[in-house]
Amino acid sequence: MNASSQRRLELVMPWLVIAGILIVWQLAVMLFGIRPFVLPSPVAIFGALIQYHDPILQHASFTLMNTMIGFACGILFGVTLGVVIGSSRLIYVGLYPVLIGFNSIPKVAVVPILVLWLGIGQPTAIATAFLLSFFPIAVNVATGLATVEPELEDVLRSLGATKRDLLFKVGLPRAMPYFFASLKVSITLAFIGAVIAETIASNDGIGYLMLQASSQFRIPLMFAGVFVIALMGIATFLVFAYIEKRMTGWATRGRNLQAAGGG
Amino acid sequence: MTEFVRLDDVALRYGGPEGTLALQGTSMSIEKGQFAAVVGPSGCGKSSLMKLVTGLNPVSEGSVSVAGEKVSGPLKIVGMAFQNPTLLPWRPLLSNVMLPLEIVEPHRGRLRSHIAEYTARARNLLRTVGLEDFEDKHPWMLSGGMQQRANLCRSLIHEPELLMLDEPFGALDAFTREELWGVLQSIWMTRQFTTILVTHDLREAAYLADVIFVMSARPGKVIATHKVDLPRPRTIETTFDPKFIEIVHAIRNEIAQIRNESKVQAEKNLKVA
Ligand SMILES: Nc1ncnc2c1ncn2[C@@H]1O[C@H](COP(=O)(O)OP(=O)(O)OP(=O)(O)O)[C@@H](O)[C@H]1O
Ligand SMILES: [Mg+2]
């Protein structure tokens, strides 16, 4: 197989897998006579998507907005925290146990507390999205800062570089690939956070829509909700994967070149 | 000739009073514009010595002075280059070389308004090491030898009065290394900045240096000083000169002796234990 047909196959492969899953699913539902309130067929789910597209669109855009606002706060806070941890050993040592502890709390458990403080609705969804998304960003930025070569630091310090110079000239650019890689993870987590909060405490959003559908036994609509969440997750992931590739080509280009040379 | 770098009975201990003693009783004196080389067994504190002279680490005992002033913090007139070229992968070569100008005063304040002048200076320097056609390539597109040339340019762009080189050619093949000796020598001969070169390669030391300091095993101190009175510019032919060979031999014997002594010492320690 030559290189270009290999690449084409790589491009269509995800679609083939998705199509395969849907076909097997449809066939299974039809052949085994699975009833729609246990597992609706893809065709039925698609029907629900068409039938309810108005409310779905409305709730989905609400969820998307909550996710994005929470995620934006997560970026701001995560980068700040990452820079602080990454540039001061003392702060790192001090904060480490707290951060580990915080990260091991299942965030679902925090939502009731947030409801207590922020009430039912949008602020809670945004806060949950934020809480889930900032951590990977902070960890990655800090890791990126920590990978600056000590020799380079010596070279710059012997030129009279301040801590600020080191951060802006070397630390942050070096941390960029880590930062963008973490965005892909974080945006997905922000989605999860928003949907969880909407399911527990909201009157809007995809999470709420699914809860409603479930209480009314509209199972295809529930699955349509799951489908929309997955779709939004994939779409935002791809957007950030693309941004990552554009912004930090220098970190991967060397590798790509080598790979091309080898093939 | 005026003295430029002076170490008096310097000791350096890592990690508190019980820590590793890297240097003890080290004294040396280097004149302005002189090219000095430091050789010695691995782990004897050569890299540590560089950090003391540039003020990156404080001495535990004794004193270091550069240009007549006691060193108490990072100096700002130094250029440094290490075995690892540490170029910034996100910057093309030209802006990598110009990095020190963004940090050192007075260039830092003038860089933006005199960008053309500084760019010309950087291009000039790249030309002297034969990299003029690569200024907009990224470091990972260059070979190790080319990266090391660029690293040399970066250490010289702000025209430092003191150049510190820690095994800069250690990772290169023999041919590239000998070629870069010539490049470094010719830059040094035109600019006459004071240079301290740490190296494992005795031929490299004898080729480049005016004076060679031989250090003992850890805790390191200077146990011998050799003047190299060979005419410049030296070439690869010079390395076959009997005088050159004699110097290299003498130093090699000294280092072999140090290693023997530390081996005997280690065996004694073993017996005691
Ligand atoms: N940051 C540090 N903390 C503790 N000990 C150190 C540190 N740096 C160096 N040492 C110790 O100091 C001694 C001298 O180290 P140094 O790096 O100066 O040796 P060197 O002569 O440069 O060796 P080489 O030729 O292998 O590069 C070594 O025994 C090393 O273990
Ligand atoms: Mg060393």
Side-chain angles (χ1 to χ4, degrees):
Chain A
M1 196 185 297
N2 65 32
S4 79
S5 72
Q6 165 86 29
R7 207 163 305 142
R8 230 173 299 142
L9 195 64
E10 272 177 29
L11 276 179
V12 296
M13 208 54 200
W15 299 105
L16 287 181
V17 169
I18 290 171
I21 292 175
L22 289 180
I23 290 169
V24 170
W25 182 349
Q26 182 74 32
L27 287 179
V29 170
M30 281 167 27
L31 284 179
F32 302 117
I34 300 174
R35 269 167 295 178
F37 61 82
V38 178
L39 180 69
S41 70
V43 171
I45 295 173
F46 189 69
L49 264 179
I50 305 269
Q51 189 186 346
Y52 301 104
H53 74 271
D54 255 359
I56 287 179
L57 208 65
Q58 188 196 333
H59 286 289
S61 55
F62 186 78
T63 302
L64 190 64
M65 183 168 67
N66 289 344
T67 304
M68 284 306 168
I69 298 176
F71 180 55
C73 300
I75 293 180
L76 279 182
F77 183 70
V79 168
T80 314
L81 186 64
V83 167
V84 170
I85 301 176
S87 39
S88 160
R89 169 105 194 120
L90 208 61
I91 296 179
Y92 170 78
V93 171
L95 278 183
Y96 191 70
V98 177
L99 285 175
I100 296 298
F102 173 82
N103 196 42
S104 51
I105 302 172
K107 301 302 173 298
V108 195
V110 185
V111 176
I113 303 175
L114 290 176
V115 170
L116 197 68
W117 292 337
L118 304 171
I120 287 186
Q122 199 170 17
T124 299
I126 293 175
T128 316
F130 161 74
L131 283 182
L132 256 80
S133 64
F134 82 84
F135 192 78
I137 299 177
V139 170
N140 272 275
V141 169
T143 310
L145 291 180
T147 57
V148 172
E149 295 110 324
E151 289 107 330
L152 184 59
E153 223 175 297
D154 282 349
V155 168
L156 295 183
R157 281 210 298 142
S158 72
L159 296 170
T162 58
K163 278 213 137 185
R164 226 189 91 126
D165 289 333
L166 284 174
L167 183 67
F168 282 98
K169 302 274 181 226
V170 183
L172 286 181
R174 164 127 295 152
M176 279 302 116
Y178 295 84
F179 169 68
F180 283 108
S182 74
L183 290 189
K184 288 185 303 190
V185 179
S186 277
I187 184 69
T188 315
L189 289 175
F191 254 113
I192 295 174
V195 174
I196 287 178
E198 287 165 3
T199 316
I200 301 178
S202 175
N203 296 321
D204 289 291
I206 278 286
Y208 170 74
L209 181 75
M210 285 171 61
L211 202 70
Q212 281 284 301
S214 142
S215 68
Q216 297 162 359
F217 279 103
R218 285 192 268 185
I219 310 302
L221 178 56
M222 265 183 79
F223 275 84
V226 173
F227 176 79
V228 169
I229 294 172
L231 208 64
M232 288 196 292
I234 293 175
T236 42
F237 179 91
L238 288 180
V239 167
F240 284 101
Y242 176 75
I243 296 177
E244 176 189 11
K245 216 166 144 190
R246 287 301 303 272
M247 300 297 289
T248 57
W250 58 265
T252 49
R253 224 176 297 160
R255 241 178 293 149
N256 288 349
L257 270 186
Q258 272 170 7
Chain B
M1 276 280 176
T2 52
E3 188 178 62
F4 194 69
V5 177
R6 180 183 181 84
L7 282 82
D8 277 313
D9 239 349
V10 166
L12 174 69
R13 196 186 277 282
Y14 281 109
E18 301 297 307
T20 322
L21 193 57
L23 294 168
Q24 191 174 40
T26 309
S27 301
M28 58 174 73
S29 157
I30 298 164
E31 285 164 14
K32 191 163 177 60
Q34 208 173 27
F35 198 125
V38 179
V39 299
S42 182
C44 71
K46 302 183 294 294
S47 299
S48 309
L49 184 79
M50 305 289 270
K51 290 195 181 172
L52 293 183
V53 173
T54 50
L56 291 171
N57 277 355
V59 295
S60 306
E61 281 165 38
S63 72
V64 178
S65 56
V66 172
E69 284 190 28
K70 213 173 149 181
V71 175
S72 57
L75 295 177
K76 300 187 179 175
I77 50 158
V78 190
M80 282 183 112
F82 295 91
Q83 177 171 344
N84 177 357
T86 62
L87 298 172
L88 306 179
W90 55 90
R91 288 183 175 216
L93 215 53
L94 189 67
S95 95
N96 250 305
V97 168
M98 291 172 75
L99 176 68
L101 301 175
E102 296 168 27
I103 291 169
V104 183
E105 293 292 0
H107 310 299
R108 182 187 190 132
R110 299 177 70 233
L111 183 59
R112 217 167 271 181
S113 49
H114 296 70
I115 187 75
E117 174 194 323
Y118 282 115
T119 310
R121 189 201 279 194
R123 290 217 169 98
N124 230 340
L125 205 50
L126 282 174
R127 191 167 323 118
T128 57
V129 301
L131 282 179
E132 63 272 29
D133 296 331
F134 296 88
E135 63 171 55
D136 39 50
K137 293 272 186 293
H138 283 265
W140 36 265
M141 298 169 160
L142 305 177
S143 72
M146 289 156 103
Q147 291 187 27
Q148 204 49 271
R149 287 163 205 246
N151 187 16
L152 208 55
C153 291
R154 184 179 67 185
S155 66
L156 291 169
I157 185 74
H158 54 296
E159 303 189 336
E161 290 173 62
L162 180 60
L163 179 67
M164 308 290 284
L165 304 169
D166 193 346
E167 297 179 39
F169 311 133
L172 304 177
D173 66 278
F175 288 112
T176 313
R177 201 182 306 163
E178 287 174 2
E179 201 181 317
L180 287 185
W181 293 350
V183 170
L184 178 57
Q185 176 179 244
S186 75
I187 299 177
W188 175 80
M189 283 177 69
T190 48
R191 303 255 188 104
Q192 292 287 321
F193 39 79
T194 313
T195 305
I196 303 182
L197 166 77
V198 165
T199 178
H200 278 136
D201 184 343
L202 302 183
R203 289 175 63 241
E204 178 171 303
Y207 183 108
L208 285 166
D210 298 319
V211 56
I212 303 175
F213 298 101
V214 182
M215 293 184 62
S216 68
R218 190 169 59 88
K221 61 164 166 285
V222 178
I223 52 162
T225 307
H226 296 263
K227 290 247 179 269
V228 186
D229 285 324
L230 296 167
R232 300 214 187 235
R234 297 172 193 159
T235 60
I236 293 304
E237 284 308 310
T238 315
T239 64
F240 300 111
D241 188 313
K243 255 168 106 183
F244 184 97
I245 295 172
E246 195 181 316
I247 292 170
V248 172
H249 255 286
I251 301 173
R252 175 150 291 144
N253 285 338
E254 278 161 8
I255 291 183
Q257 202 177 340
I258 299 165
R259 296 187 50 170
N260 265 337
E261 278 165 17
S262 49
K263 219 189 274 168
V264 169
Q265 186 64 42
E267 272 161 16
K268 252 191 222 158
N269 292 349
L270 217 79
K271 269 183 200 140
V272 172

